[in-house]
């Protein structure tokens, strides 16, 4: 069977879909991956998995009408050339443009994966309201023709169900993208407390809250390291270099830059934090759980699905720096609690988020 997998961020094909692609190829399917990056950036790595790669160009965040029209037309061209039997699209642009192209070309088996609703679904600005309405109309059209739509959390299902975008019988809940626990292995817990956050440098990830909480904790525990791992982003709410440098001047947080492999930082830390406003499922949290780390995250869509309160970590209200600092202090001064919550994180990850379990659900639903 010929399968197309469409994404709007090429590295996610390797970081989040590597095991799925390998499994599809292993079952005898011909897989072609599509994203915006040039072929020379992606082709070799995907060929190593047995998959082909094609680019639609453009930008994953661009909103220009002509740019997006060109991307849509390239999707039509590529799907016409590949002639897939099944299409699997995730992220907004592939779902909208790739899904529409697949409908036009008569692809019978279309599957969408909403890996987290865009910022426009949470923002109160007028511009985002218009964008939200457009996305809802597009999603409703695509999901009508999709055999099924996968979701990472129940909040997104409820939200789109409330707006009549997706029918209940088409919604399939999976626990995120999953994590390969042979790659993200359990790591020894350091003796001393060390806090880490790994995330793209975007406002919605709670970067500013992390800095403010670190300052509060450092007043009582100045020796505790706070690490921030992540690269700059082209998102409209991205933290700019000058703002980051201003925050770093306060001296509470050590910025480690972008990392292709976050495992060395997970090994160094004993507490993992992600004060995000919303997530699909919080992949960075799940990676930390696999390493056996206590978690502090927010009681927000996608984040709350990774923590059982008081078992493997704590949930705090989004944007509440005081609550975040309070839970950090509790874990900083209590090694036994860090240890027990780290143990529980590992067990919960193995039960819910191991990648083979996630992929089995995807493959079974798609009849592969």
């Amino acid at each position: 069977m010929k399968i197309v997998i469409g994404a709007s961020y090429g590295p996610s094909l390797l970081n989040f879909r590597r095991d799925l692609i390998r499994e599809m190829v292993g079952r005898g399917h011909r897989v072609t991956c599509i994203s915006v990056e040039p072929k020379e950036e992606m082709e070799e790595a995907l060929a190593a998995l047995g998959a082909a790669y094609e680019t639609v160009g453009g930008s994953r965040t661009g909103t220009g009408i002509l740019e997006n029209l060109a991307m849509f037309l390239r999707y039509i061209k590529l799907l016409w050339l590949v002639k897939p039997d099944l299409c699997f699209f995730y992220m907004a642009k592939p779902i909208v443009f790739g899904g529409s192209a697949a409908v036009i070309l008569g692809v019978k088996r279309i599957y969408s994966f909403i890996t987290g609703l865009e910022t426009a679904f949470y923002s109160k600005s007028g511009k985002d309201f218009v964008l939200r309405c457009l996305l809802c109309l597009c999603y409703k059209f695509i999901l009508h023709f999709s055999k099924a739509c996968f979701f990472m959390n129940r909040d997104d299902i409820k939200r789109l169900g409330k707006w009549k975008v997706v029918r209940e019988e088409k919604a399939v809940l999976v626990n995120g993208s999953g994590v390969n626990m042979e790659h993200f292995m359990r790591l020894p817990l350091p003796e001393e407390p060390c806090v880490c956050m790994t995330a793209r440098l975007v406002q919605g990830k709670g970067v500013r809250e992390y800095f403010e909480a670190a300052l509060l904790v450092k007043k009582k525990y100045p020796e505790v390291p706070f690490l921030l791992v992540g690269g700059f982003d082209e998102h409209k709410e991205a933290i700019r270099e000058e703002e980051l440098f201003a925050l770093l001047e306060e001296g509470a947080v050590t910025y480690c830059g972008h990392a292709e492999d976050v495992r060395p930082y997970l090994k160094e830390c004993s507490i993992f934090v992600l004060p995000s406003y919303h997530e699909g499922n919080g992949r960075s949290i799940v990676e930390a759980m696999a390493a056996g780390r206590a978690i502090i995250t927010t009681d927000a869509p996608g984040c709350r699905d990774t923590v059982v309160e008081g078992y493997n970590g704590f949930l705090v209200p989004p944007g509440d720096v005081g609550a975040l600092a309070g839970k950090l202090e509790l874990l900083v001064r209590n090694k036994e609690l860090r240890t027990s919550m780290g143990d529980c994180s590992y067990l919960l990850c193995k039960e819910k988020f191991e990648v083979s379990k996630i992929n089995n659900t995807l493959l079974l639903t798609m009849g592969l």
Side-chain angles (χ1 to χ4, degrees), residues 54-313:
E54 298 292 343
T55 179
V56 288
S59 165
R60 67 185 175 94
T61 59
T63 57
I65 294 175
L66 292 179
E67 174 191 349
N68 286 310
L69 176 60
M71 181 182 288
F72 173 51
L73 293 175
R74 284 192 290 268
Y75 261 111
I76 292 177
K77 180 181 177 180
L78 282 175
L79 294 187
W80 181 79
L81 290 171
V82 174
K83 294 180 173 55
D85 302 295
L86 183 149
C87 290
F88 175 77
F89 298 114
Y90 66 100
M91 301 181 177
K93 286 192 176 183
I95 291 174
V96 173
F97 299 144
S100 296
V103 171
I104 290 170
L105 293 173
V107 178
K108 300 300 182 185
R109 299 172 67 178
I110 303 171
Y111 293 88
S112 302
F113 193 172
I114 294 179
T115 54
L117 293 177
E118 289 68 27
T119 302
F121 284 89
Y122 300 94
S123 171
K124 296 181 180 179
S125 75
K127 183 178 179 180
D128 282 329
F129 172 77
V130 174
L131 180 57
R132 181 165 66 246
C133 291
L134 287 172
L135 280 171
C136 281
L137 286 172
C138 292
Y139 279 175
K140 187 170 185 177
F141 170 75
I142 302 305
L143 299 186
H144 174 77
F145 290 97
S146 295
K147 292 286 187 181
C149 181
F150 301 102
F151 288 85
M152 286 187 169
N153 64 72
R154 297 185 187 279
D155 294 277
D156 289 351
I157 296 176
K158 290 179 182 177
R159 189 178 292 257
L160 292 191
K162 179 181 178 181
W163 293 338
K164 309 297 183 186
V165 174
V166 63
R167 299 203 305 268
E168 184 179 353
E169 65 271 15
K170 285 195 174 185
V172 179
L173 179 66
V174 295
N175 291 316
S177 296
V179 63
N180 186 325
M181 296 185 71
E182 294 180 1
H183 181 74
F184 286 94
M185 300 175 65
R186 188 169 187 176
L187 300 170
L189 193 70
E191 287 292 321
E192 299 301 322
C194 175
V195 184
C196 181
M197 173 180 174
T198 66
R200 292 180 295 118
L201 299 186
V202 176
Q203 293 178 28
K205 297 292 183 182
V207 175
R208 293 193 185 95
E209 287 83 353
Y210 182 63
F211 273 88
E212 291 175 26
L215 276 172
L216 292 176
V217 175
K218 286 266 192 176
K219 290 179 180 179
K220 294 183 180 178
Y221 305 96
E223 73 285 355
V224 176
F226 280 77
L227 309 179
L228 175 62
V229 183
F232 293 99
D233 197 88
E234 61 183 32
H235 192 279
K236 65 179 181 179
E237 293 189 352
I239 303 291
R240 303 304 173 194
E241 284 190 42
E242 56 272 19
E243 181 180 357
L244 177 66
F245 294 149
L247 291 169
L248 289 171
E249 287 180 0
E250 297 169 342
V253 174
T254 300
Y255 178 55
C256 305
H258 170 74
E260 293 293 337
D261 186 356
V262 299
R263 289 176 297 176
Y265 301 102
L266 296 179
K267 183 178 182 179
E268 190 173 344
C269 80
S270 54
I271 304 164
F272 185 84
V273 176
L274 185 69
S276 179
Y277 295 177
H278 55 83
E279 292 286 325
N281 184 257
R283 167 63 182 250
S284 62
I285 301 174
V286 177
E287 291 170 351
M289 291 171 65
R293 299 298 181 256
I295 306 298
I296 303 175
T297 188
T298 53
D299 189 11
C303 297
R304 64 171 67 100
D305 298 88
T306 61
V307 167
V308 177
E309 177 70 20
Y311 174 71
N312 71 310

